Amino acid sequence: MIEEVMMKYILFCAAIGLISGDRGGKVAFTALLSKHTTVGAYAVVKYDRVLTNWGGAYQPTTGVFTAPYNGLYSISCTLMSDPINYAHASITKNGKKMSVVFSNTKTYPHASQTLQLLLNKGDKIWIQNRNGRKTIFHDHGYSNVFSGFLIDEL
């Protein structure tokens, strides 16, 4: 179902001109955690269940998206911590924290952010655990998401 919703969203964005592809740039990815995942202090979150990787710019073995074109990109992150710990995660660009999402303990709260970023070809984006300790991300294959797409090639 998630795959169908994401595809409809991408097609909708293309239909209204948010994803133009006028210059040949076709980039979109969505990746999730397939299970509860322990992430080390300040480590990159490696989303291992790839739903979409149009253009091949996301690498699940490293958790890093590399911009294949200069352009305006939409990058999103959704976070859910395990009830035994809180979690802070950042959308990180080339080692620089761009934003932080937070999920508290003792419940199952979701937190998410979407950024529109101007990226140069070769810029790297990843989600990073911002806690100074290992953190458990709660998941059964659908709660923690990292996604992005090229809005327009510049």
Side-chain angles (χ1 to χ4, degrees):
M1 178 156 153
I2 291 174
E3 294 93 345
E4 181 180 326
V5 171
M6 283 305 298
M7 186 53 71
K8 286 180 181 179
Y9 177 70
I10 290 169
L11 293 173
F12 171 76
C13 289
I16 64 171
L18 288 178
I19 304 174
S20 68
D22 291 341
R23 294 176 212 146
K26 294 182 171 124
V27 180
F29 74 97
T30 298
L32 302 96
L33 295 177
S34 64
K35 61 189 178 306
H36 293 356
T37 302
T38 301
V39 180
Y42 304 107
V44 174
V45 181
K46 297 175 183 171
Y47 296 83
D48 60 328
R49 182 174 170 225
V50 178
L51 299 181
T52 306
N53 199 4
W54 194 10
Y58 174 72
Q59 296 301 315
T61 56
T62 63
V64 175
F65 167 76
T66 303
Y69 307 101
N70 294 333
L72 179 63
Y73 290 80
S74 180
I75 304 293
S76 299
C77 159
T78 301
L79 167 68
M80 186 165 78
S81 63
D82 192 84
I84 66 168
N85 61 209
Y86 61 86
H88 291 90
S90 66
I91 296 176
T92 306
K93 173 186 170 188
N94 298 331
K96 181 179 178 189
K97 175 176 56 178
M98 304 304 291
S99 70
V100 175
V101 293
F102 173 74
S103 181
N104 209 352
T105 64
K106 300 179 184 168
T107 63
Y108 293 96
H110 269 95
S112 64
Q113 290 213 340
T114 300
L115 304 177
Q116 282 68 51
L117 299 172
L118 287 171
L119 300 179
N120 293 313
K121 181 179 180 177
D123 280 348
K124 298 187 181 310
I125 301 287
W126 62 87
I127 307 304
Q128 184 171 356
N129 177 12
R130 283 300 187 188
N131 291 337
R133 58 176 173 71
K134 68 180 180 180
T135 302
I136 300 171
F137 288 65
H138 182 84
D139 216 313
H140 293 288
Y142 49 82
S143 299
N144 289 280
V145 182
F146 177 29
S147 64
F149 62 89
L150 175 63
I151 295 171
D152 199 8
E153 192 176 344
L154 304 175

